[in-house]
Each structure stands twice: as structure tokens, then as C-alpha cells.
Amino acid sequence: PAPPPSPAARTAEARRAELDRAFEALRSAPDEAGAALVEARIKALWAQGASPSVTLLLRRGVRNVEAQMPAEALEDFDAAITLQPDFADAWFLRAQAYARAGDNAAAARDLQEALRLEPRHWMALLSLALLQDEAGNATGALRTLEAAMALNPRMPGGQDRLKEQRRKAEGDTT
């Protein structure tokens, strides 16, 4: 017989199961306030997947982004990804730093990696849609935004954003 799973494996499996339930709750949230509570829980569950050192590096990186120091932030996010390359939020945060630094191609690559690791990362989808729109790919941005809205239909301003992107992609329907 196979050995029983380790405590860490059981914890990771329990977190995945809770994430699945939370994403179902997010899709069916009755309003923005309810969705915001579920979003916070999902983000907390994602954060639990980071090691303490990665958490520290990510916090420092976020502070550096906020302080308009993208080079320093990129160093922090690079180190976090080196330590834990399977942590989607590290890729997402580094993408934000790349976008702030004006390197949209690198930002898009990191967003795609974040989505490969966590296909339900609606914030990565929103960021990718913005990059696609800025690059003149209104149709691609619309598809990406629709995917984000399918995951989080009560996103604040999401329906207006979707309507505007649809107008850009398909033309004025008024």
C-alpha cells in the first residue's frame, strides 16, 4: 500500500478544495459586497501557498512598486520566483512591476505564466486584457475580459468595462 500523504500534502489538498468552493461562491455571489468577501478569502488562500521567505520578498516588492522603484521590486519578485517558481501570485506581481517599468512584453509573459499556474487568476486576466487593449488587440482583450468576468461576474466596474471593450472590439452598437 502507498504511504499516507504528508501533512503538507494534506494541507495543500485541503486548500485546493477550499479554493474550488470559493471560486464557485465567487461565480454565484449575489452582489459586489458578497463577491468582495469571497475575493478576500481566495487571495488569503493563495497567500497561504507561499513560504515565509517568499511572502517577505513579495511584500517588499509591493512596497518598492508603490514607492516607484520598479528595478528594486523586480529584484524582489525575481528572488521570490527563484525560491518558489510554482507560486502564481509571484508571477502576477512581477508582471505588475514590469508593466510599471514599461516592459509590456515581459509583463504579458509573466501574466501568461501566472495563468498557467492558476487559470482562475482573474486579476491576471484583467491585467492581460489591459495589455492586449493597449497593444491594439481589442478582440483579444474582449475574450480575456470575458474570461475574467466568467470567474468573477460581480467585479466592481466589470460590466461597464466589458461593455466598453465590446464596443471597441465589435464597433458601436448604438
Side-chain angles (χ1 to χ4, degrees), residues 63-105:
R63 279 196 307 272
N64 284 330
V65 167
E66 291 169 353
Q68 304 296 319
M69 297 169 26
E72 290 82 354
L74 287 169
E75 286 180 20
D76 295 328
F77 297 139
D78 287 345
I81 288 168
T82 298
L83 288 173
Q84 199 170 348
D86 62 342
F87 189 60
D89 246 12
W91 293 91
F92 169 71
L93 290 168
R94 188 171 76 171
Q96 301 307 299
Y98 273 130
R100 280 266 178 100
D103 191 345
N104 287 353

Side-chain angles (χ1 to χ4, degrees), residues 86-163:
D86 62 342
F87 189 60
D89 246 12
W91 293 91
F92 169 71
L93 290 168
R94 188 171 76 171
Q96 301 307 299
Y98 273 130
R100 280 266 178 100
D103 191 345
N104 287 353
R109 283 191 303 272
D110 277 5
L111 290 170
Q112 289 167 343
E113 182 62 17
L115 290 164
R116 185 188 72 75
L117 294 166
E118 175 50 84
R120 302 174 294 189
H121 202 299
W122 74 91
M123 296 170 297
L125 286 166
L126 287 175
S127 295
L128 187 58
L130 181 62
L131 291 177
Q132 290 170 317
D133 191 46
E134 288 175 1
N137 182 0
T139 302
L142 175 61
R143 281 194 306 270
T144 303
L145 188 55
E146 287 172 338
M149 292 299 295
L151 292 167
N152 188 355
R154 302 280 187 233
M155 199 177 328
Q159 291 301 325
D160 291 337
R161 214 186 254 171
L162 188 59
K163 184 178 177 182

